[in-house]
Amino acid sequence: MFNTCNNYSYLRVYILVLSLVTSSISGLAQHQGIHERKQLFDNDWKFFPGDTAAASIATYNDANWRKLDLPHDWSIEGEIAPKNPTAGGGGYFPAGKAWYRKTFNVPAEWETKKVSIYFEGVYMNSEVFINGKSLGVYPYGYSSFSYDLTPYIAFGKENVMAVWVDNSQHVNSRWYSGSGIYRHVWMMVTDPVHVAQWGVAVATPQVTSQKATVQVKTLVKNETSSVQQVVVKISLLNKDSKTAGSGQVKVELPANSEKEVLQTLAIAKPMLWSPETPDLYQAKVQVLKGKNIADETKTSFGIRAVKFTAQGGFQLNGKTIKLNGGCVHHDNGCLGAAAFDRAEERKVELLKAAGFNAVRTSHNPPSEAFLDACDRLGLLVMDESFDCWKIGKNRFDYARYFKDWWKRDLEAMVLRDRNHPSIIMWSTGNEIPERGTPDATKTAKMLADEVKRMDPSRPVTSAVVENGKPWDLLDSLMDVHDVAGYNYHLQSAPADHVRDPSRIIVQTESYPRDAFANWNLVQNNSYIIGDFVWTALDYLGESGIGRWYYSGEAPGQHWDNELFPWHGAYCGDVDLIGWRKPISHYRSMLYNDTEKLYMAVREPEPKPLEIKDTWWSVWPTWESWNWPGFEGKTIQVEVYSRYPKVKLYLNNTLIGERATTHEREYKATFDVPYAAGILKAVAVENGKDVESTTLQTAGDAATIKVTADRKEITADGQDLCYVTVEILDKNGILQPTAANRLHFQIEGPGIIAGVDNADLKNYELYIGNTRKAWHGRALVVIRSTQGIGDVTLTVTSPGLSQSVLTIKTYKP
């Protein structure tokens, strides 16, 4: 049994003001008259793809290097080719080595401050230099890390930071990793007496609808040579920024020391965090020296209670919740690994819209922006650390670093992320090759104990898969976890429950096609808390997972053959441009009551060829009634329904009526002789027609429709607008067979950040101004610059009417 109400909140301060658009730190400080504790350091870098050792020297001439702003992934910019070293696992993208450099001024008044640089993530093997001095090497590409700059920077003068990135040794990942400084970089400026990095932890040990007890632990550092007398003041702010509780305590800090300060406060009638009501609070922590504020941080947190038992399953705020989860990798499709805040937020929006209430960050810690969005939008998270421990899966993967780095990397995940209310579980690994050995159990316990030392509030799991031996031989590994993670083995849960009635089980990976069987097990067994499908979203790399193929094409799974031009995984419920596949609607219908009727058509086999499936695939099924060449031939139509019966009509003629009960897995399949026209499914309840949905044959492609996800974006060089492009016939119906070549032109303060069509066999560049439509759709991502005004996107294609879209950029 695992039962806790604790919840911690990561030290996050996004006090940007004008820093987003100011390249000179000196100019920023002079303009504001103060320093900001955390300043975005993404702008005005220079980039060189290649190896030049002299680039670490401050006087190196980088005048001819490319100018860019972070986040940046150079792999996504390159040509997808079968000879690239990342191979099929990495999506056949280029990698290699590269340098980044930035020249900046440091105000003279900072000489009394502590100054550090904070990287949210660099893939991989980075080395950071300041004015020619090496600050250190960090191997793991998914960890956040920082360096103290204070001893090495020149105050009141120009400084040079250089970052060396070595992603040349392959294969080092089983999926697309990207290359470079792909997450944000921050300059941290504090008083020598300050709150430590990741030094605020917020817990809610007692939670009811009437009252919550909030504990705030603050790690305060004194980096001076004298004793310091300070006051640590806490203010708890609600979502309206009104004070909900406060307290303060006097603290004496010996020279060059640190001390943890615990304060307990109460909040009356708290707003409880849940996926339905993701209300957030802030803990404002001030370190006062006399009347002066030496340091101030604001930490978002949520008030919620979590409880895990075999009898009650997973409970949030006293309510049992079944996890309809999906696994995701970290890439953002056509943007590669670049973790723009808006891209990470949209990913969460897509997951929520698809009916998921939980996500597993397989198999590495995600970006901070992703977790912030999960907090804000209400998505439960299993935060995962590693894909391997001591024994690797590829020659150059994390197993090379595990012995020396596991503790630092685990701390970087737990201390950074421990306060996100969205996180309900930690995972320390995935399908560890040494599973089934005593050493694996020993390592698992070591990792779990370290997690519990930093955060005793959440259960620890890891994902375990069968290794060809009897399943019960893995019991010792399962037993050192609070929750047992099953990959593709949920069918063993009932027998395992008889053997170990106290075991709490979650399926950490499952095949998409097994949605109903897994849902049934989850619903009918309290000790099974949920299922995480592989995967929620399509992703780059692991080329060919989820593929289907035709007779004569290369058979086998993704690890058996080089399957180029496949360069990604098509096993997601949602594709790379955000279109929900039929399996997404079916899965959501099982877990949610937001939709109850859906219809799609199974792609017919082009005889004499046959369609072949693979382990993670489902039959290719489309929202289309356009099947030229199949007139008069039988095509299968699938209807998913939570009503007891459905009827199907073609051109107002009844094709048939079928039951869609639990015994029928809420599905009905109709054999229909194909004829152009209107296909209509009608739901029947209590003898009455209650809901309907249609598919209509489209005529020839005639026009282009563009739809922006937002009409206004921030002029900060970071914000994004996602533009869906659809090809319609003259009557405005989507042409689902359209594959027209589209051309994109942009004017105004914006650039095209990426283009896509979700076809993982289309190996055109993702960075460009053209793309073919696939099944009638494509996607353009617009990135703002720092200019204010109208951004105009014009989309053209030979023989089609052009479409023009205008969005605005603004300063907040």
Side-chain angles (χ1 to χ4, degrees), residues 640-782:
Y640 314 144
S641 169
R642 290 307 296 263
Y643 298 103
K645 290 183 180 179
V646 293
K647 295 184 289 189
L648 186 70
Y649 297 86
L650 175 58
N651 296 326
N652 294 320
T653 299
L654 180 64
I655 298 296
E657 183 173 342
R658 300 277 190 276
T660 49
T661 57
H662 180 277
E663 292 72 24
R664 300 282 182 169
E665 300 185 1
Y666 306 112
K667 288 182 180 180
T669 302
F670 296 87
D671 292 335
V672 183
Y674 176 67
I678 298 176
L679 196 66
K680 182 178 181 180
V682 178
V684 180
E685 188 172 45
N686 297 323
K688 296 181 179 180
D689 296 351
V690 292
E691 187 179 344
S692 66
T693 183
T694 62
L695 293 173
Q696 184 172 349
T697 305
D700 293 338
T703 63
I704 300 170
K705 178 184 178 182
V706 292
T707 306
D709 66 337
R710 295 184 297 161
K711 296 295 185 181
E712 295 183 339
I713 59 176
T714 306
D716 58 4
Q718 295 276 338
D719 208 357
L720 304 175
C721 176
Y722 284 79
V723 181
T724 300
V725 182
E726 297 175 301
I727 296 177
L728 312 179
D729 71 2
K730 64 180 181 180
N731 296 315
I733 301 171
L734 177 73
Q735 223 303 341
T737 65
N740 303 62
R741 169 66 61 182
L742 300 163
H743 301 279
F744 314 113
Q745 181 180 349
I746 195 166
E747 297 177 345
I751 61 172
I752 294 176
V755 295
D756 200 356
N757 62 6
D759 181 4
L760 287 166
K761 292 187 287 184
N762 183 338
Y763 51 88
E764 295 180 85
L765 290 174
Y766 282 100
I767 309 298
N769 60 3
T770 183
R771 198 75 167 181
K772 291 182 70 175
W774 190 57
H775 291 284
R777 295 184 178 91
L779 179 74
V780 184
V781 184
I782 297 172

Side-chain angles (χ1 to χ4, degrees), residues 780-808:
V780 184
V781 184
I782 297 172
R783 179 180 180 180
S784 68
T785 64
Q786 296 181 10
I788 300 173
D790 290 345
V791 179
T792 301
L793 174 71
T794 303
V795 184
T796 60
S797 182
L800 303 182
S801 300
Q802 74 174 24
S803 187
V804 179
L805 173 75
T806 299
I807 63 171
K808 293 183 179 295

Side-chain angles (χ1 to χ4, degrees), residues 161-205:
M161 179 167 292
V163 181
W164 166 239
V165 184
D166 185 355
N167 189 21
S168 62
Q169 294 181 306
H170 286 277
V171 175
N172 62 46
S173 176
R174 294 189 302 115
W175 58 90
Y176 178 86
S177 65
S179 301
I181 310 177
Y182 69 103
R183 292 178 180 168
H184 294 308
V185 181
W186 302 87
M187 184 72 77
M188 309 293 290
V189 185
T190 67
D191 190 90
V193 180
H194 61 274
V195 177
Q197 183 188 37
W198 304 330
V200 175
V202 184
T204 55

